[in-house]
Amino acid sequence: MRKIAKYFLVLIGFTSCGGGERVSKEVFEEVNKNMEVKKLSEAEILEEAMIWGDSISTEAQMELISQLQNAISERGVPGAIEFCSVSAFPILTEVGKVHGVAIKRASNRYRNPADQPDPQEQPILEAYEYNAENGIKSDPNIQKIEGGEVFLYTKPIVIPGGLCLSCHGDPGRDINSETLAKLAELYPQDQAKGHQVGDLRGMWSLRIPKKEVVKRM
Ligand code: HEC
């Protein structure tokens, strides 16, 4: 399958180099023939982007949860807050860099103000919130942005279990006083408390360049 991508890119290279290079008729026809036989449709590229978005966001989630569990067992819950505050962003940046995509989490009930949705994410997040309020299950979503050159992949983040409540649950009942003090110190605008298991906490947001998807096919 990699071969198709190569032909595809080669063809783009030919057509976009501004006429400086001449391509022999034979080479051009060969590439064209391969394009026709193995041409990737927009629907196929979109489907691949969806599968890839699912797999990268799952990988990022597993990475965050496993490092969070380590931090909690080493330093306790209040100590792990500092870990989240310092490390969540670099961990996601690293996972994104490996795959050539930009990855973040967005929430309207944010803890870190940097996780507020941007204008492209906001309507999707609102749809997820509407579904959550009305008991409708939300699915991952993918749409074209930047004139079709980038795919915006999103997936709801639902609180899966009690582990999360020690920092996102009810103050007093789920969150102990030492943890509350640490949260107040680091996140004076915190809106990410008071959750229960099953609540919508936010969403994954991945910006996947189309060319990175095509490279994989
Ligand atoms: C040790 C405390 C702690 C635990 C446990 C914890 N979180 Fe968080 N969470 C944080 C902190 C601190 C931040 C802010 C991170 C930052 O500054 O980048 C955060 C941020 C987030 C965000 C990003 C949006 C925002 O509000 O800024 C999501 C989504 C999230 N947490 C979901 C979860 C889920 C789901 C779980 C359970 C698997 C969980 N958290 C468990 C402390 C915790």
Side-chain angles (χ1 to χ4, degrees):
M1 286 299 269
R2 291 216 158 261
K3 216 166 165 195
I4 322 167
K6 214 164 84 200
Y7 279 118
F8 191 57
L9 292 175
V10 164
L11 186 70
I12 292 172
F14 286 162
T15 52
S16 65
C17 48
E21 286 169 43
R22 282 184 60 86
V23 178
S24 79
K25 197 164 168 269
E26 293 72 32
V27 171
F28 187 80
E29 276 170 1
E30 174 67 17
V31 170
N32 235 357
K33 208 171 73 202
N34 277 294
M35 281 285 293
E36 267 162 31
V37 176
K38 301 170 185 169
K39 199 172 166 193
L40 299 170
S41 71
E42 276 297 305
E44 282 170 327
I45 298 173
L46 204 65
E47 194 187 333
E48 179 69 16
M50 185 66 141
I51 293 168
W52 203 30
D54 279 338
S55 112
I56 300 172
S57 54
T58 302
E59 179 189 334
Q61 184 149 26
M62 280 164 58
E63 188 61 29
L64 275 187
I65 291 182
S66 86
Q67 298 216 27
L68 175 66
Q69 279 168 334
N70 283 345
I72 290 177
S73 62
E74 278 167 21
R75 316 175 200 186
V77 173
I81 290 175
E82 228 135 35
F83 159 82
C84 285
S85 145
V86 173
S87 306
F89 183 75
I91 291 170
L92 296 185
T93 308
E94 188 52 39
V95 173
K97 224 166 69 186
V98 169
H99 298 293
V101 312
I103 175 163
K104 62 175 274 208
R105 297 176 297 175
S107 179
N108 280 319
R109 282 181 62 179
Y110 54 86
R111 174 150 287 164
N112 188 331
D115 293 329
Q116 287 175 81
D118 61 33
Q120 285 168 326
E121 294 162 341
Q122 180 67 23
I124 307 169
L125 185 54
E126 277 174 12
Y128 287 155
E129 287 167 350
Y130 175 88
N131 286 351
E133 280 158 22
N134 292 283
I136 303 164
K137 190 183 169 294
S138 289
D139 288 320
N141 182 67
I142 195 148
Q143 64 188 52
K144 294 180 196 171
I145 55 171
E146 321 295 345
E149 289 312 304
V150 176
F151 297 117
L152 176 60
Y153 168 94
T154 55
K155 182 165 84 180
I157 301 176
V158 172
I159 301 235
L163 168 76
C164 317
L165 298 186
S166 50
C167 296
H168 293 293
D170 272 335
R173 193 185 65 193
D174 305 311
I175 312 180
N176 67 30
S177 55
E178 205 186 331
T179 304
L180 275 175
K182 199 85 219 160
L183 286 172
E185 179 196 325
L186 291 173
Y187 302 99
Q189 306 174 45
D190 186 20
Q191 304 188 34
K193 295 191 287 282
H195 279 292
Q196 295 175 11
V197 171
D199 275 7
L200 181 72
R201 181 65 268 279
M203 68 177 192
W204 288 103
S205 165
L206 277 65
R207 285 179 163 78
I208 309 178
K210 183 176 176 182
K211 68 172 177 20
E212 296 295 333
V213 181
V214 171
K215 253 197 234 170
R216 288 166 43 86
M217 299 177 78

